[in-house]
Amino acid sequence: VSWNPATRSLSAGSADGWLFDYDLRCRRSRVSGRRAHASECCGVEWRADGRLLATGSSDKSVNIWDLRRFEQAVVPIRRAHNAAVKALAWSPHRSDLLATGGGSACRALRLWNATTGRRVASRKTRSQITGVCWSPATSELATSLGWPDYGLATWSYHDGAIAPLERSSTRHYERLLCLAGSSDGRVATVCAGEVICIWKLFGAAPRTRVVEPSVARRRDVRRWDRVFAGGVGGVVR
């Protein structure tokens, strides 16, 4: 699942390959849905501006969706990995850069140009990748690893290549299921033993002045198309 920061709606994938959108302010919270993949949709991630959505599937594909044309994927990547794709993360430094991680039959960390669907970098890891996130301050990444070698790994992306960092390996006693990054550089992981761990991996993002969009200031949502059950330019209070 993933929240859209612009529309404040929730998108979720299903076991049968469908992608659904939920708006909890509506009487019927599920407002739209579409067939996203041929099999389970196991990864969903909105970009920070809420305009592009990436989905991953057990059919080994990655699809990129545009909120303004949400009926079908604008950039389909058919054979993104050789296994299921659960781990997805948009770069906070480049709006066209997407990181994905493959399952146990693939074990690769890959970066994609979200505009063209072209693969720009790939690195084999030692285990299934269950989650990925970017450093808020630099072009570094962290991956959570499942079977067979549990733990965290950190990477650097530079000059079109992914390289392990010196602090690249942090072992764990159980399989990691997912991870989530924070703007202060901390990373949270959840393991199969139902334990949440907090790791200090990266530096904090530089402080910048945030200019809120007019939609957020007026506390309403502009719906650009019929995806969220409104007309073009419709406003929901």
Side-chain angles (χ1 to χ4, degrees):
V1 296
S2 181
W3 287 100
N4 184 310
T7 64
R8 304 177 214 148
S9 62
L10 180 69
S11 296
S14 70
D16 57 1
W18 279 71
L19 177 66
F20 295 104
D21 307 299
Y22 298 87
D23 190 334
L24 301 183
R25 297 160 297 183
C26 298
R27 181 172 298 179
R28 297 184 62 181
S29 59
R30 193 168 82 184
V31 293
S32 64
R34 67 207 57 80
R35 186 62 180 260
H37 294 275
S39 58
E40 181 182 4
C41 182
C42 51
V44 180
E45 186 70 18
W46 279 102
R47 199 171 67 180
D49 61 4
R51 293 188 177 184
L52 291 184
L53 173 72
T55 59
S57 172
S58 58
D59 65 8
K60 309 174 185 178
S61 69
V62 170
N63 284 338
I64 297 173
W65 309 77
D66 190 321
L67 179 64
R68 295 161 295 183
R69 302 186 300 275
F70 220 28
E71 290 80 10
Q72 61 183 10
V74 292
V75 182
I77 307 173
R78 303 298 183 195
R79 294 282 297 183
H81 287 269
N82 297 323
V85 186
K86 176 185 176 185
L88 303 162
W90 290 96
S91 168
H93 317 294
R94 278 183 50 183
S95 61
D96 64 343
L97 192 59
L98 174 70
T100 64
S104 55
C106 179
R107 307 183 191 183
L109 172 63
R110 289 175 178 162
L111 303 182
W112 306 88
N113 183 313
T115 303
T116 63
R118 182 178 64 88
R119 189 172 74 188
V120 298
S122 181
R123 179 81 186 201
K124 196 76 170 179
T125 71
R126 65 179 187 265
S127 295
Q128 164 197 25
I129 298 178
T130 59
V132 60
C133 71
W134 289 85
S135 163
T138 64
S139 293
E140 297 178 352
L141 305 96
T143 54
S144 56
L145 304 178
W147 184 88
D149 197 0
Y150 317 142
L152 279 172
T154 52
W155 313 87
S156 174
Y157 173 60
H158 184 66
D159 290 337
I162 302 171
L165 295 174
E166 291 183 3
R167 61 181 189 278
S168 62
S169 179
T170 303
R171 297 299 180 97
H172 204 276
Y173 64 94
E174 286 191 278
R175 181 169 64 97
L176 294 182
L177 304 178
C178 60
L179 89 169
S182 169
S183 60
D184 65 2
R186 291 182 295 176
V187 173
T189 61
V190 178
C191 74
E194 302 179 359
V195 175
I196 298 175
C197 295
I198 309 295
W199 313 80
K200 182 63 176 176
L201 295 182
F202 305 119
R207 297 181 66 86
T208 57
R209 180 172 176 267
V210 177
V211 179
E212 290 187 341
S214 59
V215 170
R217 289 200 300 270
R218 287 200 305 270
R219 299 186 180 279
D220 61 20
V221 176
R222 292 196 176 277
R223 294 179 172 177
W224 298 302
D225 54 21
R226 61 181 178 278
V227 171
F228 298 111
V232 177
V235 176
V236 177
R237 301 291 179 184

